Amino acid sequence: MWPDFLTTEPGRMVRVILIDDDPHIRCVIAGELVSDMRIDLVGQADCARSGKRLISNTEFDVMIVDLNLGDGSGFDLIEHMKRVRNHAEAIVVSIMDDEQRAIRAFELGATGYLVKNSWFGSFAQAVLQVCNGGASITPNLARRLLQKFETPAAGSAAPARSAASTAPVQGQGTSVGLSERECEVLRLVALGHTSPEIAQRLTLSVQTVNTHIRNIYRKLQVKSRAQAVSMAAQQRII
């Protein structure tokens, strides 16, 4: 059974578009999506050009996109999507498990990064995860990303994190600090947990967690969970 929070709006399916130039992978992903009655696969494309046209002409909630499309880059499509359909979520599927590529995708606004040869979960689950405020990342890559952002010296890891929790965070002309609780919430967001999961772990209400997340966005001057995690990592807050 699916967790209760992995749901859609009553009476409406999650609309998904799929852009990948590998017909086999596209068939596998499409097969999983159409078998889930909560998801409506509303369009597919096999190249960057047709993908851009699909993004512009189709109403959708989630885009699943490969990074290497032969005639273009999935990065460009994520940027285009955020310009014309800013409300939509983007999930990258890629053969590359390079941390820098993942970080770039998150900075552009993606909320999922799945490595093709290492992702053994459900693509439908990934779609519902990002629609419910979470982030879907291949576990091995997620662990490496977290390790990349850890303080190198083990002896100074705890002091550095403690200092970061109360130290001002430099925004665009603004100096503000995240509270200890906000840092705690942000670390769980970085691990891909949804608001209900965070609420359960920290014994808080979902409304309180969402309030913390909104405050984090405001203080870091970002607009998405992925951007918040990226900014916090750069500032060594998490």
Side-chain angles (χ1 to χ4, degrees), residues 163-171 174-178 220 235 237:
S165 300
T166 56
V169 177
Q170 296 298 326
T174 306
S175 179
V176 293
L178 297 185
L220 297 183
Q235 298 288 342
I237 298 171

Side-chain angles (χ1 to χ4, degrees), residues 22-35:
D22 184 328
H24 173 70
I25 291 294
R26 201 168 61 250
C27 182
V28 169
I29 297 175
E32 286 194 17
L33 296 179
V34 299
S35 66

Side-chain angles (χ1 to χ4, degrees), residues 190-220:
L191 290 171
H193 293 294
T194 63
S195 293
E197 290 174 323
I198 295 172
Q200 184 176 16
R201 283 172 174 264
L202 300 182
T203 319
L204 300 171
S205 70
V206 175
Q207 182 178 1
T208 298
V209 171
N210 288 334
T211 298
H212 283 312
I213 292 175
R214 285 195 296 272
N215 289 337
I216 291 168
Y217 286 2
R218 176 177 53 81
K219 291 180 180 181
L220 297 183

Side-chain angles (χ1 to χ4, degrees), residues 59-220:
E59 292 288 341
F60 65 93
D61 305 299
V62 178
M63 172 179 71
I64 300 178
V65 61
D66 191 4
L67 290 183
N68 299 316
L69 294 169
D71 66 335
S73 168
F75 292 125
D76 295 334
L77 294 185
I78 295 172
E79 287 185 292
H80 178 66
M81 185 201 78
K82 285 301 179 181
R83 284 195 299 269
V84 302
R85 304 199 183 278
N86 188 51
H87 69 280
E89 305 284 352
I91 299 175
V92 169
V93 288
S94 177
I95 196 68
M96 304 286 190
D97 65 349
D98 179 20
E99 294 94 333
Q100 293 305 316
R101 284 174 174 262
I103 291 171
R104 183 182 176 194
F106 294 143
E107 288 175 341
L108 292 175
T111 46
Y113 195 104
L114 309 179
V115 181
K116 291 181 179 179
N117 293 336
S118 302
W119 176 248
F120 301 106
S122 163
F123 289 98
Q125 179 183 10
V127 166
L128 293 168
Q129 190 83 9
V130 300
C131 280
N132 283 273
S136 187
I137 309 173
T138 299
N140 288 342
L141 176 61
R143 179 178 289 274
R144 296 210 314 275
L145 286 171
L146 289 173
Q147 290 173 342
K148 184 179 182 68
F149 295 140
E150 286 179 354
T151 305
S156 60
R161 179 170 291 164
S162 176
S165 300
T166 56
V169 177
Q170 296 298 326
Q172 298 174 356
T174 306
S175 179
V176 293
L178 297 185
S179 68
E180 181 63 35
R181 177 64 86 184
E182 288 165 350
C183 290
E184 195 172 12
V185 169
L186 189 53
R187 283 194 286 272
L188 291 173
V189 168
L191 290 171
H193 293 294
T194 63
S195 293
E197 290 174 323
I198 295 172
Q200 184 176 16
R201 283 172 174 264
L202 300 182
T203 319
L204 300 171
S205 70
V206 175
Q207 182 178 1
T208 298
V209 171
N210 288 334
T211 298
H212 283 312
I213 292 175
R214 285 195 296 272
N215 289 337
I216 291 168
Y217 286 2
R218 176 177 53 81
K219 291 180 180 181
L220 297 183

